[in-house]
Amino acid sequence: MSRHPDRVLRSLLPGSALPGREEARQWLLGSPGATVVCPGSAEEVARTMAVASEEGWRVQPLGAGTWPSHAGRQEAADLVVSTVRIRGIVEYEPGDLTITCGAGMTGGGLSERVGRHRQWLPLDPAGWRAGTIGATLANASTGSLRAGYGAPRDQVLGLTMVTGDGRVLELGGRVVKNVAGFDLVRLAVGSAGTLGVVTSATLRLHPMPELDRTLLVRGLERGELVQMARALAVAPVPIAALELGGLTLAVGGEVPQGPFLMARLCGASETVEAVEELLRPIIQAGDTVRLEEEEADELRSLIEAQEAESDVVVRLTLLPSRLGTLLEVADGLEEELSPADRGTADGKAAGWLAHVSWGIVRLLLPYTKGMGGLGARLIEARSWLEREGGSLRLVQGSMDLAEEVGPRELPEAAREISEGLKREFDPAGILPHGGPAL
Amino acid sequence: MVESLPLQTIVDLRAIVGADGVITDPARLLVYESDGLTTYRRRPLAVVLPRSTDEVSRVVRRLGRERVPLVPRGAGTGLSGGALADTDAVVISTPRMNRILEVDPANRRARIQAGVVNTQLSEATRPFGLYYPPDPSSQTACTIGGNVAENSGGPHCLKYGVTCRYITGLTVVLSDGSIAEFGGMGREAPGFDLVGLFVGSEGCFGVATEIEVSLSPIPESARTLLAIFDHLEDAGRAVTAIIARGLLPAALEIIDRETIRAVEASVYAAGYPTDAAAALVAEFDGLEAGLDREAMLAEECCVAAGAREIRRATSEEDRAALWKGRKKAFGAMGRIAPDLLVQDATVPRTRLPEVLSAISEIASRYRLTVANVFHAGDGNLHPNILFDHRDDDESRRVEQASREIMQACINAGGTITGEHGVGVDKTKYMSLIYPPETLEAMRAVRRVFDPVHRFNPGKVLPEPEEQDPGAPPASEAVPRSRPEIP
């Protein structure tokens, strides 16, 4: 590294882009020696990236820094580029059901703004309200609403992304249907900051459903709930989200133990009532509570909080029909924990959440450095799942665990293409390398 | 440049795909001279018809020795010249790769070969109560492989989304003949979304040979209505009102006066009033419960926007009749002019009325007949310019009007193609919507997949020096930086 970022960037960016030491601390993550900049526009990001590329500074792109453990993290970055100041609305036309906003806008901020027009962006990854749009898209973070509304890639119409060497790319467009040129939006979404810094996005909004109801089913053994969940997943009715959980949660003053199933129904009142009626024969074996919007939001917040506070989150996938098998794999991993680790003494407990429709289980684990063996078990489980056509990814966890687990192997052709893409978008290799490979 | 394939090459290709799988006879090659956009015609060196991924791989490797350019092709129903091969290129056509490999109702997915026809897939999955939602107008002929290449849409994509939403995995053959697997349901593949990137790459990255798709439950019921308007702009306003009401129809389609007259004068006559300026077909589907209310609210929007008549389908026959005029519109136009230039721009829905007025003004100024058929809910316009290519003056006016219509759509915040693809037809417009850096990034991505530029050369991207002479730079044409709204 030839010159120190701090000195160079002070002459390159306005003072507002350079936070004070105290403020900057929240964005340092695992790079205590890094310089933090918060550019106010794509042009300022471009200037920053151009000089970083020339100087060879290792750069960590960042949103609000509320998902600090995401796997695409740069080890010992020289420079953290946060988009938190690029958070305004560029264009919002409710009649078009589209919005263009800065990448630094939070999910909560966006929800509040478009909610005034009874519209919403149906994305709900854990921590969505505090996390930024840019980070959500960069990580392709999904929640349970993916079942009914699709993944982040389905909600993005266009992006502005600054490449590793400071080129400003306008990708996609602002209309809901667009096949002009190669779909680099889809390349950018989920690229975890390895190709560039997303600075703004045009998103497809949806009318807010007239009725948003969640059915909570409890009081059954896990196996029975899995069977019920699968029956719901293949029922020919629209279910916005279908989630199974094995967490200890307080609902309505109670602290229910044991697994639960949540089916979220969104739409016109008449339709939601009809769907509930059609589902009743499937769910009647359980103890079912009907949660209206606010109660369900409260429950989801509790789940989100538990996930956000978890030391380790492992994402396991298999074909949706093999959900039972996937949960057995999760059991195997949880069993590696000592009884003390599994306990709730420090407020953290092991647990799991499953997106039923997509065959995804998020395993939440408490973790301490002394807890040997987990990394090896993760590697073993990953190999088994990959042989079975599934996958395992560490989405939240300490750097030492991430290092121990190491990157996933890509098939040769995909690896060559991925490496080629990385070289084209980040020729100096200053952006994180490991994100997509983890 | 190879002018004809060496005999040994033909022998080798026949050894791979069988004697009936290689076409070199000029008469038989005529079929492959163009796709659905017949304005562009070129005859390829040869056509190869493989039956499997392995055969595609061996064909690509074999032709790699002569460095022959390759053009993947499905049924050839595309409307952008995307499957057009230069005279030194070989077409790899997939109709013999038509096997449905697996239907997996428990996971709502199917695995198919690329040459499976769109409607055949839904027919095969219907016994399981499932179907494949993207429904391009050519769906009874077009292949899913072609749909993947073009990221095809269709009338019902307003509610259900376009092809890319349904593609979960791909097997592709790359330019060196290697076989790559991308994605797969149940597997969150590490790395970039190569499935998403490949879909819509118009045959420039490789040949998709096997495709994994996700399926949806067949809607229980539908309500279809036809609203008749005396002004086209009113129909556009009705569309905006329906969406603003929070309704999500499965389809919202408009055909204009010229199209109505063409349809009614043809064998496809659907009983649309020929004095009407526009007909709007609105369809709601899903569970039976709630459909009547949604249809009623849409009717209210149409009436408020000035609809003079509403027709409701009360049976499946009625529904087919209401759709007939829309679905057969393109076919009917063949009666009134020998040639048709099909455009495919998309504009923000709220700008539809003003863009429709602009198109009307441009048509009038250039003394041309423009017949509008469009997916109004998506803002996806198909202004079709009717002409006779033997009339040089008219052809010139068509070219100029076409450019102005495209510019009007772009000025309204739109894009140059919503579902037909860029192909060879719209490369000249790419610099109107993308700045040079973005176009260069697209070129770079193409190089990564196909370093030797073997697949579908000359498509999608303009050469760096090729700039539309009449076009302002993208930065002027599409204002990207706007003041922030507080």
Side-chain angles (χ1 to χ4, degrees), chain A residues 304-362:
Chain A
E304 271 191 19
Q306 190 151 338
E307 183 164 355
E309 285 166 16
S310 186
D311 297 323
V312 173
V313 179
V314 184
R315 192 174 171 100
L316 308 96
T317 70
L318 263 184
L319 280 174
S321 59
R322 300 185 67 192
L323 182 62
T325 307
L326 200 54
L327 287 170
E328 284 168 18
V329 176
D331 287 344
L333 290 168
E334 195 186 336
E335 278 164 16
E336 285 298 307
L337 305 179
S338 69
D341 286 327
R342 239 178 286 153
T344 55
D346 62 352
K348 292 177 181 176
W352 53 269
L353 292 155
H355 294 319
V356 178
S357 311
W358 283 96
I360 297 168
V361 167
R362 281 127 61 217

Short mmCIF file of all heavy atoms in Angstrom, two decimals, chain A residues 304-362:
data_model
loop_
_atom_site.label_atom_id
_atom_site.label_comp_id
_atom_site.label_asym_id
_atom_site.label_seq_id
_atom_site.Cartn_x
_atom_site.Cartn_y
_atom_site.Cartn_z
N GLU A 304 -36.93 -12.51 14.55
CA GLU A 304 -35.82 -11.76 13.96
C GLU A 304 -34.76 -11.45 14.99
O GLU A 304 -33.56 -11.60 14.74
CB GLU A 304 -36.32 -10.43 13.39
CG GLU A 304 -36.79 -10.54 11.97
CD GLU A 304 -37.02 -9.16 11.36
OE1 GLU A 304 -36.50 -8.16 11.89
OE2 GLU A 304 -37.73 -9.09 10.36
N ALA A 305 -35.22 -11.01 16.18
CA ALA A 305 -34.27 -10.62 17.21
C ALA A 305 -33.43 -11.82 17.62
O ALA A 305 -32.21 -11.72 17.78
CB ALA A 305 -35.01 -10.05 18.42
N GLN A 306 -34.09 -12.96 17.76
CA GLN A 306 -33.36 -14.16 18.15
C GLN A 306 -32.32 -14.54 17.09
O GLN A 306 -31.20 -14.91 17.40
CB GLN A 306 -34.33 -15.32 18.37
CG GLN A 306 -33.65 -16.50 19.01
CD GLN A 306 -34.60 -17.32 19.85
OE1 GLN A 306 -35.64 -16.83 20.28
NE2 GLN A 306 -34.27 -18.56 20.09
N GLU A 307 -32.72 -14.39 15.83
CA GLU A 307 -31.79 -14.73 14.74
C GLU A 307 -30.64 -13.72 14.71
O GLU A 307 -29.48 -14.11 14.56
CB GLU A 307 -32.52 -14.75 13.41
CG GLU A 307 -31.61 -15.16 12.27
CD GLU A 307 -32.35 -15.56 11.00
OE1 GLU A 307 -33.59 -15.61 11.01
OE2 GLU A 307 -31.67 -15.81 9.99
N ALA A 308 -30.99 -12.45 14.86
CA ALA A 308 -29.95 -11.42 14.78
C ALA A 308 -28.93 -11.57 15.91
O ALA A 308 -27.75 -11.29 15.74
CB ALA A 308 -30.59 -10.04 14.82
N GLU A 309 -29.41 -12.02 17.09
CA GLU A 309 -28.51 -12.12 18.24
C GLU A 309 -27.74 -13.43 18.27
O GLU A 309 -26.86 -13.62 19.10
CB GLU A 309 -29.32 -11.97 19.53
CG GLU A 309 -29.73 -10.53 19.79
CD GLU A 309 -30.81 -10.43 20.86
OE1 GLU A 309 -31.00 -11.42 21.59
OE2 GLU A 309 -31.44 -9.37 20.93
N SER A 310 -28.12 -14.32 17.39
CA SER A 310 -27.47 -15.62 17.39
C SER A 310 -26.00 -15.49 16.98
O SER A 310 -25.66 -14.72 16.09
CB SER A 310 -28.22 -16.53 16.42
OG SER A 310 -27.70 -17.82 16.51
N ASP A 311 -25.14 -16.24 17.65
CA ASP A 311 -23.71 -16.17 17.32
C ASP A 311 -23.45 -16.73 15.93
O ASP A 311 -22.64 -16.21 15.18
CB ASP A 311 -22.89 -16.99 18.33
CG ASP A 311 -23.00 -16.43 19.73
OD1 ASP A 311 -23.04 -15.19 19.85
OD2 ASP A 311 -23.08 -17.23 20.68
N VAL A 312 -24.13 -17.81 15.65
CA VAL A 312 -23.89 -18.51 14.38
C VAL A 312 -25.23 -18.78 13.70
O VAL A 312 -26.17 -19.24 14.35
CB VAL A 312 -23.16 -19.85 14.62
CG1 VAL A 312 -23.07 -20.66 13.34
CG2 VAL A 312 -21.77 -19.61 15.20
N VAL A 313 -25.32 -18.47 12.43
CA VAL A 313 -26.49 -18.88 11.64
C VAL A 313 -25.98 -19.67 10.45
O VAL A 313 -25.15 -19.20 9.67
CB VAL A 313 -27.31 -17.67 11.15
CG1 VAL A 313 -28.50 -18.15 10.30
CG2 VAL A 313 -27.81 -16.82 12.31
N VAL A 314 -26.46 -20.89 10.34
CA VAL A 314 -26.07 -21.77 9.23
C VAL A 314 -27.30 -21.99 8.36
O VAL A 314 -28.38 -22.28 8.87
CB VAL A 314 -25.56 -23.13 9.75
CG1 VAL A 314 -25.07 -23.99 8.59
CG2 VAL A 314 -24.46 -22.94 10.77
N ARG A 315 -27.12 -21.83 7.08
CA ARG A 315 -28.24 -22.00 6.15
C ARG A 315 -28.07 -23.31 5.40
O ARG A 315 -27.07 -23.52 4.71
CB ARG A 315 -28.23 -20.82 5.18
CG ARG A 315 -29.45 -20.64 4.33
CD ARG A 315 -29.28 -19.34 3.56
NE ARG A 315 -30.28 -19.17 2.56
CZ ARG A 315 -31.38 -18.41 2.69
NH1 ARG A 315 -31.58 -17.75 3.81
NH2 ARG A 315 -32.24 -18.29 1.72
N LEU A 316 -29.03 -24.20 5.58
CA LEU A 316 -28.96 -25.51 4.94
C LEU A 316 -30.11 -25.63 3.96
O LEU A 316 -31.22 -25.19 4.24
CB LEU A 316 -29.10 -26.63 5.98
CG LEU A 316 -28.18 -26.60 7.21
CD1 LEU A 316 -28.89 -25.93 8.38
CD2 LEU A 316 -27.79 -28.00 7.61
N THR A 317 -29.85 -26.23 2.81
CA THR A 317 -30.92 -26.38 1.82
C THR A 317 -30.93 -27.78 1.22
O THR A 317 -29.90 -28.44 1.12
CB THR A 317 -30.78 -25.38 0.65
OG1 THR A 317 -29.65 -25.75 -0.15
CG2 THR A 317 -30.59 -23.95 1.12
N LEU A 318 -32.11 -28.20 0.86
CA LEU A 318 -32.35 -29.43 0.10
C LEU A 318 -33.66 -29.21 -0.65
O LEU A 318 -34.35 -28.22 -0.40
CB LEU A 318 -32.52 -30.63 1.03
CG LEU A 318 -31.33 -31.54 1.32
CD1 LEU A 318 -31.80 -32.70 2.20
CD2 LEU A 318 -30.68 -32.11 0.06
N LEU A 319 -34.02 -30.11 -1.52
CA LEU A 319 -35.32 -29.99 -2.16
C LEU A 319 -36.40 -29.87 -1.08
O LEU A 319 -36.33 -30.56 -0.06
CB LEU A 319 -35.59 -31.22 -3.03
CG LEU A 319 -34.93 -31.22 -4.41
CD1 LEU A 319 -35.16 -32.55 -5.10
CD2 LEU A 319 -35.47 -30.08 -5.27
N PRO A 320 -37.41 -29.04 -1.31
CA PRO A 320 -38.42 -28.81 -0.27
C PRO A 320 -39.07 -30.10 0.25
O PRO A 320 -39.39 -30.20 1.43
CB PRO A 320 -39.47 -27.94 -0.99
CG PRO A 320 -38.73 -27.29 -2.10
CD PRO A 320 -37.62 -28.20 -2.49
N SER A 321 -39.22 -31.10 -0.62
CA SER A 321 -39.86 -32.34 -0.18
C SER A 321 -39.02 -33.09 0.84
O SER A 321 -39.49 -34.02 1.49
CB SER A 321 -40.15 -33.24 -1.39
OG SER A 321 -38.94 -33.55 -2.04
N ARG A 322 -37.77 -32.70 1.01
CA ARG A 322 -36.87 -33.40 1.94
C ARG A 322 -36.63 -32.58 3.21
O ARG A 322 -35.59 -32.67 3.84
CB ARG A 322 -35.56 -33.74 1.25
CG ARG A 322 -35.77 -34.65 0.03
CD ARG A 322 -34.46 -35.09 -0.56
NE ARG A 322 -33.72 -35.97 0.32
CZ ARG A 322 -32.44 -36.31 0.14
NH1 ARG A 322 -31.80 -35.87 -0.92
NH2 ARG A 322 -31.82 -37.11 0.99
N LEU A 323 -37.62 -31.81 3.56
CA LEU A 323 -37.49 -30.95 4.73
C LEU A 323 -37.16 -31.76 6.00
O LEU A 323 -36.34 -31.34 6.82
CB LEU A 323 -38.79 -30.16 4.93
CG LEU A 323 -38.81 -29.18 6.08
CD1 LEU A 323 -37.76 -28.09 5.91
CD2 LEU A 323 -40.19 -28.52 6.19
N GLY A 324 -37.82 -32.92 6.14
CA GLY A 324 -37.57 -33.75 7.33
C GLY A 324 -36.10 -34.14 7.42
O GLY A 324 -35.48 -34.06 8.49
N THR A 325 -35.51 -34.53 6.30
CA THR A 325 -34.09 -34.91 6.27
C THR A 325 -33.21 -33.71 6.63
O THR A 325 -32.24 -33.84 7.39
CB THR A 325 -33.71 -35.40 4.85
OG1 THR A 325 -34.62 -36.40 4.47
CG2 THR A 325 -32.30 -35.90 4.79
N LEU A 326 -33.60 -32.57 6.10
CA LEU A 326 -32.81 -31.36 6.36
C LEU A 326 -32.79 -31.04 7.86
O LEU A 326 -31.75 -30.67 8.42
CB LEU A 326 -33.43 -30.20 5.57
CG LEU A 326 -32.58 -28.99 5.28
CD1 LEU A 326 -31.28 -29.37 4.61
CD2 LEU A 326 -33.34 -28.02 4.38
N LEU A 327 -33.94 -31.23 8.50
CA LEU A 327 -34.00 -30.96 9.93
C LEU A 327 -33.17 -31.98 10.72
O LEU A 327 -32.59 -31.64 11.75
CB LEU A 327 -35.46 -30.96 10.40
CG LEU A 327 -36.25 -29.72 9.97
CD1 LEU A 327 -37.73 -29.88 10.24
CD2 LEU A 327 -35.72 -28.46 10.66
N GLU A 328 -33.09 -33.20 10.19
CA GLU A 328 -32.24 -34.19 10.87
C GLU A 328 -30.77 -33.79 10.78
O GLU A 328 -30.00 -33.97 11.72
CB GLU A 328 -32.44 -35.57 10.24
CG GLU A 328 -33.75 -36.22 10.67
CD GLU A 328 -34.09 -37.45 9.84
OE1 GLU A 328 -33.18 -37.99 9.17
OE2 GLU A 328 -35.27 -37.84 9.83
N VAL A 329 -30.39 -33.22 9.63
CA VAL A 329 -29.01 -32.73 9.50
C VAL A 329 -28.77 -31.61 10.51
O VAL A 329 -27.73 -31.56 11.18
CB VAL A 329 -28.73 -32.22 8.06
CG1 VAL A 329 -27.34 -31.62 7.95
CG2 VAL A 329 -28.89 -33.35 7.05
N ALA A 330 -29.76 -30.73 10.63
CA ALA A 330 -29.65 -29.62 11.60
C ALA A 330 -29.54 -30.18 13.02
O ALA A 330 -28.73 -29.70 13.83
CB ALA A 330 -30.85 -28.70 11.47
N ASP A 331 -30.31 -31.23 13.32
CA ASP A 331 -30.24 -31.87 14.64
C ASP A 331 -28.82 -32.34 14.92
O ASP A 331 -28.28 -32.16 16.02
CB ASP A 331 -31.16 -33.09 14.70
CG ASP A 331 -32.62 -32.70 14.76
OD1 ASP A 331 -32.90 -31.53 15.06
OD2 ASP A 331 -33.48 -33.58 14.49
N GLY A 332 -28.24 -32.96 13.88
CA GLY A 332 -26.89 -33.51 14.03
C GLY A 332 -25.89 -32.42 14.39
O GLY A 332 -25.00 -32.62 15.21
N LEU A 333 -26.06 -31.28 13.79
CA LEU A 333 -25.14 -30.17 14.07
C LEU A 333 -25.38 -29.62 15.48
O LEU A 333 -24.43 -29.31 16.20
CB LEU A 333 -25.33 -29.06 13.04
CG LEU A 333 -24.85 -29.41 11.63
CD1 LEU A 333 -25.34 -28.38 10.62
CD2 LEU A 333 -23.33 -29.49 11.60
N GLU A 334 -26.63 -29.53 15.84
CA GLU A 334 -26.95 -28.98 17.17
C GLU A 334 -26.43 -29.89 18.27
O GLU A 334 -25.99 -29.44 19.32
CB GLU A 334 -28.46 -28.79 17.28
CG GLU A 334 -28.84 -27.90 18.45
CD GLU A 334 -30.34 -27.84 18.65
OE1 GLU A 334 -31.09 -28.09 17.68
OE2 GLU A 334 -30.75 -27.57 19.78
N GLU A 335 -26.45 -31.19 17.99
CA GLU A 335 -26.01 -32.15 19.00
C GLU A 335 -24.52 -32.00 19.31
O GLU A 335 -24.04 -32.48 20.33
CB GLU A 335 -26.31 -33.58 18.52
CG GLU A 335 -27.75 -33.97 18.79
CD GLU A 335 -28.16 -35.19 17.99
OE1 GLU A 335 -27.27 -35.89 17.48
OE2 GLU A 335 -29.38 -35.42 17.85
N GLU A 336 -23.80 -31.36 18.42
CA GLU A 336 -22.38 -31.13 18.67
C GLU A 336 -22.16 -30.19 19.85
O GLU A 336 -21.11 -30.16 20.46
CB GLU A 336 -21.72 -30.49 17.44
CG GLU A 336 -21.48 -31.46 16.31
CD GLU A 336 -20.54 -32.57 16.72
OE1 GLU A 336 -19.44 -32.26 17.20
OE2 GLU A 336 -20.93 -33.75 16.57
N LEU A 337 -23.21 -29.40 20.15
CA LEU A 337 -23.05 -28.43 21.24
C LEU A 337 -23.12 -29.16 22.57
O LEU A 337 -23.88 -30.10 22.73
CB LEU A 337 -24.15 -27.38 21.18
CG LEU A 337 -24.32 -26.62 19.87
CD1 LEU A 337 -25.47 -25.65 19.99
CD2 LEU A 337 -23.04 -25.87 19.56
N SER A 338 -22.36 -28.67 23.52
CA SER A 338 -22.45 -29.24 24.86
C SER A 338 -23.75 -28.77 25.48
O SER A 338 -24.32 -27.77 25.04
CB SER A 338 -21.26 -28.75 25.69
OG SER A 338 -21.43 -27.37 25.92
N PRO A 339 -24.26 -29.47 26.48
CA PRO A 339 -25.51 -29.05 27.12
C PRO A 339 -25.44 -27.60 27.58
O PRO A 339 -26.42 -26.85 27.47
CB PRO A 339 -25.65 -30.00 28.30
CG PRO A 339 -24.89 -31.22 27.89
CD PRO A 339 -23.76 -30.74 27.03
N ALA A 340 -24.28 -27.19 28.05
CA ALA A 340 -24.15 -25.80 28.53
C ALA A 340 -24.30 -24.82 27.37
O ALA A 340 -24.99 -23.79 27.48
CB ALA A 340 -22.79 -25.60 29.19
N ASP A 341 -23.69 -25.18 26.24
CA ASP A 341 -23.79 -24.30 25.07
C ASP A 341 -25.22 -24.21 24.58
O ASP A 341 -25.65 -23.20 24.05
CB ASP A 341 -22.90 -24.82 23.94
CG ASP A 341 -21.43 -24.57 24.24
OD1 ASP A 341 -21.14 -23.55 24.88
OD2 ASP A 341 -20.61 -25.41 23.84
N ARG A 342 -25.94 -25.31 24.71
CA ARG A 342 -27.31 -25.35 24.20
C ARG A 342 -28.27 -24.61 25.12
O ARG A 342 -29.39 -24.31 24.75
CB ARG A 342 -27.75 -26.81 24.05
CG ARG A 342 -28.14 -27.15 22.64
CD ARG A 342 -28.53 -28.59 22.52
NE ARG A 342 -27.35 -29.45 22.59
CZ ARG A 342 -27.39 -30.70 23.02
NH1 ARG A 342 -28.51 -31.23 23.45
NH2 ARG A 342 -26.30 -31.42 23.03
N GLY A 343 -27.83 -24.39 26.34
CA GLY A 343 -28.69 -23.80 27.35
C GLY A 343 -28.98 -22.34 27.07
O GLY A 343 -28.53 -21.75 26.10
N THR A 344 -29.74 -21.73 27.97
CA THR A 344 -30.17 -20.36 27.75
C THR A 344 -29.60 -19.43 28.81
O THR A 344 -30.11 -18.34 29.02
CB THR A 344 -31.70 -20.26 27.77
OG1 THR A 344 -32.16 -20.81 29.00
CG2 THR A 344 -32.32 -21.02 26.62
N ALA A 345 -28.54 -19.87 29.49
CA ALA A 345 -28.00 -19.09 30.59
C ALA A 345 -27.65 -17.67 30.17
O ALA A 345 -27.92 -16.71 30.89
CB ALA A 345 -26.76 -19.80 31.14
N ASP A 346 -27.06 -17.50 28.99
CA ASP A 346 -26.70 -16.15 28.56
C ASP A 346 -27.76 -15.56 27.62
O ASP A 346 -27.50 -14.61 26.90
CB ASP A 346 -25.33 -16.17 27.86
CG ASP A 346 -25.35 -17.03 26.61
OD1 ASP A 346 -26.38 -17.72 26.39
OD2 ASP A 346 -24.38 -16.98 25.85
N GLY A 347 -28.93 -16.14 27.64
CA GLY A 347 -30.01 -15.60 26.81
C GLY A 347 -29.98 -16.10 25.39
O GLY A 347 -30.85 -15.79 24.59
N LYS A 348 -29.01 -16.89 25.07
CA LYS A 348 -28.92 -17.40 23.70
C LYS A 348 -29.17 -18.89 23.70
O LYS A 348 -28.60 -19.61 24.51
CB LYS A 348 -27.55 -17.11 23.10
CG LYS A 348 -27.32 -15.63 22.86
CD LYS A 348 -25.93 -15.40 22.35
CE LYS A 348 -25.70 -13.90 22.13
NZ LYS A 348 -24.32 -13.62 21.73
N ALA A 349 -30.01 -19.32 22.80
CA ALA A 349 -30.30 -20.74 22.73
C ALA A 349 -30.22 -21.20 21.29
O ALA A 349 -30.37 -20.42 20.37
CB ALA A 349 -31.71 -21.00 23.27
N ALA A 350 -29.95 -22.49 21.15
CA ALA A 350 -29.97 -23.05 19.80
C ALA A 350 -31.43 -23.10 19.32
O ALA A 350 -32.35 -23.19 20.13
CB ALA A 350 -29.37 -24.44 19.81
N GLY A 351 -31.59 -23.04 18.05
CA GLY A 351 -32.95 -23.12 17.49
C GLY A 351 -32.87 -23.20 15.99
O GLY A 351 -31.77 -23.19 15.42
N TRP A 352 -34.00 -23.33 15.36
CA TRP A 352 -34.00 -23.40 13.91
C TRP A 352 -35.27 -22.81 13.34
O TRP A 352 -36.31 -22.72 14.01
CB TRP A 352 -33.84 -24.86 13.45
CG TRP A 352 -34.85 -25.79 14.06
CD1 TRP A 352 -34.71 -26.49 15.23
CD2 TRP A 352 -36.16 -26.06 13.58
NE1 TRP A 352 -35.86 -27.19 15.49
CE2 TRP A 352 -36.76 -26.96 14.49
CE3 TRP A 352 -36.90 -25.64 12.47
CZ2 TRP A 352 -38.06 -27.43 14.32
CZ3 TRP A 352 -38.19 -26.12 12.29
CH2 TRP A 352 -38.76 -27.01 13.22
N LEU A 353 -35.17 -22.38 12.10
CA LEU A 353 -36.31 -21.84 11.37
C LEU A 353 -36.25 -22.44 9.97
O LEU A 353 -35.16 -22.55 9.40
CB LEU A 353 -36.21 -20.32 11.26
CG LEU A 353 -36.39 -19.57 12.58
CD1 LEU A 353 -35.71 -18.22 12.51
CD2 LEU A 353 -37.88 -19.41 12.87
N ALA A 354 -37.39 -22.79 9.43
CA ALA A 354 -37.39 -23.40 8.09
C ALA A 354 -38.36 -22.67 7.17
O ALA A 354 -39.50 -22.44 7.52
CB ALA A 354 -37.78 -24.86 8.20
N HIS A 355 -37.85 -22.27 5.97
CA HIS A 355 -38.74 -21.79 4.91
C HIS A 355 -39.22 -23.04 4.18
O HIS A 355 -38.48 -23.64 3.40
CB HIS A 355 -37.98 -20.91 3.92
CG HIS A 355 -37.49 -19.63 4.51
ND1 HIS A 355 -38.25 -18.88 5.37
CD2 HIS A 355 -36.34 -18.95 4.35
CE1 HIS A 355 -37.57 -17.81 5.73
NE2 HIS A 355 -36.41 -17.82 5.12
N VAL A 356 -40.43 -23.41 4.45
CA VAL A 356 -40.92 -24.71 3.99
C VAL A 356 -40.97 -24.81 2.47
O VAL A 356 -40.56 -25.80 1.88
CB VAL A 356 -42.33 -24.97 4.60
CG1 VAL A 356 -42.90 -26.30 4.11
CG2 VAL A 356 -42.25 -24.94 6.11
N SER A 357 -41.45 -23.75 1.82
CA SER A 357 -41.68 -23.83 0.38
C SER A 357 -40.38 -23.93 -0.42
O SER A 357 -40.39 -24.35 -1.58
CB SER A 357 -42.45 -22.60 -0.10
OG SER A 357 -43.57 -22.39 0.71
N TRP A 358 -39.27 -23.50 0.16
CA TRP A 358 -38.02 -23.52 -0.59
C TRP A 358 -37.00 -24.50 -0.04
O TRP A 358 -35.87 -24.55 -0.52
CB TRP A 358 -37.41 -22.11 -0.64
CG TRP A 358 -38.14 -21.27 -1.65
CD1 TRP A 358 -39.17 -20.40 -1.39
CD2 TRP A 358 -37.97 -21.27 -3.07
NE1 TRP A 358 -39.64 -19.86 -2.56
CE2 TRP A 358 -38.93 -20.37 -3.61
CE3 TRP A 358 -37.12 -21.93 -3.93
CZ2 TRP A 358 -39.03 -20.13 -4.97
CZ3 TRP A 358 -37.22 -21.70 -5.29
CH2 TRP A 358 -38.17 -20.80 -5.80
N GLY A 359 -37.36 -25.26 0.98
CA GLY A 359 -36.42 -26.24 1.51
C GLY A 359 -35.19 -25.61 2.12
O GLY A 359 -34.07 -26.00 1.83
N ILE A 360 -35.42 -24.58 2.95
CA ILE A 360 -34.30 -23.89 3.57
C ILE A 360 -34.45 -23.95 5.09
O ILE A 360 -35.53 -23.66 5.62
CB ILE A 360 -34.27 -22.40 3.14
CG1 ILE A 360 -34.05 -22.28 1.64
CG2 ILE A 360 -33.20 -21.63 3.92
CD1 ILE A 360 -34.28 -20.88 1.10
N VAL A 361 -33.39 -24.33 5.78
CA VAL A 361 -33.40 -24.30 7.25
C VAL A 361 -32.29 -23.37 7.71
O VAL A 361 -31.17 -23.43 7.20
CB VAL A 361 -33.17 -25.72 7.83
CG1 VAL A 361 -32.86 -25.65 9.32
CG2 VAL A 361 -34.40 -26.59 7.60
N ARG A 362 -32.65 -22.46 8.60
CA ARG A 362 -31.62 -21.62 9.23
C ARG A 362 -31.43 -22.14 10.65
O ARG A 362 -32.35 -22.11 11.45
CB ARG A 362 -32.05 -20.16 9.27
CG ARG A 362 -31.86 -19.46 7.93
CD ARG A 362 -33.12 -18.79 7.48
NE ARG A 362 -33.61 -17.78 8.38
CZ ARG A 362 -34.90 -17.57 8.61
NH1 ARG A 362 -35.81 -18.35 8.06
NH2 ARG A 362 -35.28 -16.60 9.41
#
